[in-house]
Amino acid sequence: MLLEFRASNYKSFKDELVFSLVPAPKQKGLDYSVLEETIGKKTYKGLCSAVIYGPNASGKTNIIGAMDTFKSIVLQGNLRNDDDKSYPNAAASALELIPNSSAETSEPVCFAIKFITEGLLVEYDFSADLGKFLETEHPRKVLSETLCINGSAVFSRNGGLEFESLDAIQGIQVNAFEQNAEGAIALAKSNLNDEELFLMNGFKTMFSSKLVARISYWLDNQFMVIYRADVMHLIRKFSDPKKKSVYVEKTLNEAAAYFGINSNALGYMVEGDSNEAKLCSIFKESQKGTAIPAELFESYGTIRFVNMFPLVVNALMNGSTLVVDEFDASIHPMALMNIINIFHNDEINIHHAQLVFNTHNPIFLNANLYRRDEIKFVERDDTTHYSSHYALSDFGTTGKTGVRKNEDYMRNYFVDRYGAIKDVDFTPIFENLLSHRNEV
C-alpha cells in the first residue's frame, strides 16, 4: 500500500512534490475509501484511490513519470543510463532528462517513498547529483540515501555511511551476519560507489537480501506505474504455446461483454515460433472460428479497455497500487466509474489495492465518488514554469477559500475556485491567419 511519494527537481517539479495517499485530517464521508494496515501496535491508513486534474502541460504526467523513473533507478541500482531506448518514459533510461530545464547550476534530484508490504513499513529516499538538464558528461553521484523499517532508521548515507539500528532487520539478515557484523559494516563503509545505490548493492549482498527482495518485489510487481498508457499493448506469453493457436480467456470475454462487445469473442493468437500472443477478434464460421488482429476490427477504446482490464484485475487480486497516465482516455465514463467503485468496495477490494490516474474528464469531480483528499490538482506557474501539486482537502471547509463536502466540485472547478485550469482561446491565431490571407 502506497502512503507517500516525494520528488524534487524532476522536470517541471523543481520544488518538492508531495503526493500523499494518507487520509487528510477531519475528512468526513466515503470512509470505504480508507484502507487500514496494522504493523505491531500501530495502524496505518491509506486512500484506495486518487484522481489528478490540471490543464495540458501542467505536469500531471510528470508525477507519474517521476514515480516510474524512481522505480527504474532503484531496480537498476545505479545512476547509469539504460541502453533500452524503446521505453515510453525516456527520463527513466536517459537520466540527463530529469533535472529541471531552467536551472542554471547543478542541483540535487531527490526521490522518497513510503509504503507497506508484507507487514513492513518501508521508508526509503535518495538524492543524486545528475548535473544540469541534458548534461550527459557530468559525473553522477549519490549524495544521500536513507532506509527506515517500521519507523526505525537502518542506515543513512550522507557522504559517508552510518548504521543507526539493525534491530529492524533482525531475523532477515544474510547468513552468519551477527558473527561478521563488524566486518560487514567496515567493508560497506569503505566500498561505497558514487554511482550505485547502497540499498541494491552492498546492503543487499552483505546485510539483508531478504529485505531487499521484498522491497524489489513490491516496486517491480505491486507498484504498477503505467506511463503513456496510450502506447501500451498487452502481450500474453504462454509457456508451451501451439503454433497458430488462439487462446480465449473467460474472464476477459465476460468483461468485454459487459463493456459492450457481443458480436464476437476476443482471444490471443500465437503465430510462428514465438511464445508471445497478440490480441485478436474471433468470429464464428460454421464449426470453425476465424481470428484476425484486433486492431483491424475493434475500436481504439475497446482495445484500450482490453489492454487495461487485466491490470485492474491484477491490482485487485494482489493488492497492488495501479498508477496510470490517462487511464480514462477513449473509455466510457460509466465503465470507469464502475471500476472506481470496485476499488471503493470493501467486500471486493479485500487486498487493499489502490488506483491513481490523471484525467481531463470533470465527471469524477463528484463528492459522492471521491473524498476531497482523493481529488488532486497540478498547476504550472506562467512565470517560473514550475509545477505545484495540492489536494482539494487543502482548501479546508471554512472561510472564503473553504470547500464543503456538499458543494458542486465540478462547477467550482470551471469557475476557477481551485486553480489548475487554464482559459484557452485560439481566436487570435485564426484572426491573424485570416487577416494575412485577406491581405494577399
Side-chain angles (χ1 to χ4, degrees), residues 234 236 238 245-250 252-253 256 261 264-270 277-283 290-294 298 306:
L234 191 66
R236 281 283 191 267
F238 298 91
S245 297
V246 175
Y247 295 82
V248 178
E249 293 184 350
K250 180 181 177 182
L252 175 62
N253 277 279
I261 306 168
N264 59 281
L266 294 166
Y268 291 92
M269 184 166 49
V270 178
K278 295 185 178 181
L279 185 68
C280 62
S281 302
I282 306 169
F283 305 89
T290 299
I292 64 173
E298 310 294 349
V306 172

Side-chain angles (χ1 to χ4, degrees), residues 71-88:
K71 173 179 171 176
S72 175
I73 292 174
V74 174
L75 291 175
Q76 182 174 285
N78 60 64
L79 302 178
R80 294 182 282 274
N81 283 355
D82 193 334
D83 292 332
D84 183 8
K85 303 300 182 185
S86 63
Y87 198 62

Side-chain angles (χ1 to χ4, degrees), residues 24-244:
K26 300 179 181 180
Q27 300 299 301
K28 296 181 180 179
L30 299 184
D31 290 337
Y32 51 74
S33 294
V34 178
L35 311 173
E36 293 188 357
E37 296 273 359
T38 301
I39 300 176
K41 296 181 179 180
K42 191 168 182 179
T43 298
Y44 296 89
K45 294 182 178 182
L47 298 171
C48 71
S49 62
V51 59
I52 308 169
Y53 282 93
N56 290 106
S58 61
K60 298 187 305 300
T61 297
N62 286 346
I63 294 179
I64 296 173
M67 294 178 179
D68 185 55
T69 301
F70 164 80
K71 173 179 171 176
S72 175
I73 292 174
V74 174
L75 291 175
Q76 182 174 285
N78 60 64
L79 302 178
R80 294 182 282 274
N81 283 355
D82 193 334
D83 292 332
D84 183 8
K85 303 300 182 185
S86 63
Y87 198 62
N89 181 12
S93 55
L95 304 191
E96 64 272 13
L97 297 174
I98 293 177
N100 181 269
S101 59
S102 65
E104 296 181 359
T105 59
S106 176
E107 297 183 18
V109 171
C110 305
F111 293 105
I113 197 166
K114 184 177 182 180
F115 64 93
I116 293 174
T117 180
E118 298 184 51
L120 295 176
L121 173 66
V122 179
E123 297 172 82
Y124 176 69
D125 65 76
F126 72 88
S127 66
D129 178 4
L130 301 179
K132 294 186 294 183
F133 178 65
L134 295 182
E135 191 174 3
T136 57
E137 302 301 322
H138 185 84
R140 296 171 180 172
K141 182 178 181 179
V142 177
L143 300 175
S144 66
E145 188 179 1
T146 305
L147 174 68
C148 296
I149 300 296
N150 294 343
S152 298
V154 178
F155 71 79
S156 61
R157 173 184 185 178
N158 196 350
L161 186 65
E162 298 297 331
F163 291 88
E164 308 295 331
S165 172
L166 296 176
D167 294 341
I169 61 172
Q170 188 74 31
I172 54 174
Q173 304 104 322
V174 296
N175 293 333
F177 173 78
E178 292 184 1
Q179 298 94 312
N180 300 287
E182 290 186 8
I185 291 173
L187 189 61
K189 289 184 176 182
S190 61
N191 283 274
L192 282 177
N193 185 307
D194 283 348
E195 280 195 330
E196 294 182 346
L197 298 175
F198 177 64
L199 174 70
M200 304 302 290
N201 294 280
F203 185 80
K204 176 181 178 180
T205 56
M206 293 188 287
F207 291 82
S208 182
S209 58
K210 292 180 180 179
L211 175 58
V212 175
R214 292 183 188 182
I215 294 172
S216 298
Y217 182 85
W218 187 86
L219 287 172
D220 198 20
N221 297 282
Q222 293 191 279
F223 191 31
M224 302 166 62
V225 183
I226 310 301
Y227 182 87
R228 289 291 307 276
D230 61 317
V231 299
M232 186 195 73
H233 297 283
L234 191 66
I235 299 177
R236 281 283 191 267
K237 290 187 177 182
F238 298 91
S239 57
D240 187 23
K242 297 179 180 179
K243 294 182 181 179
K244 296 184 178 180

Side-chain angles (χ1 to χ4, degrees), residues 271-286:
E271 292 183 318
D273 296 325
S274 173
N275 66 341
E276 294 184 353
K278 295 185 178 181
L279 185 68
C280 62
S281 302
I282 306 169
F283 305 89
K284 292 181 180 179
E285 184 182 333
S286 63

Side-chain angles (χ1 to χ4, degrees), residues 379-388:
E379 189 170 55
R380 194 165 187 174
D381 186 274
D382 289 335
T383 302
T384 65
H385 308 298
Y386 300 162
S387 295
S388 59

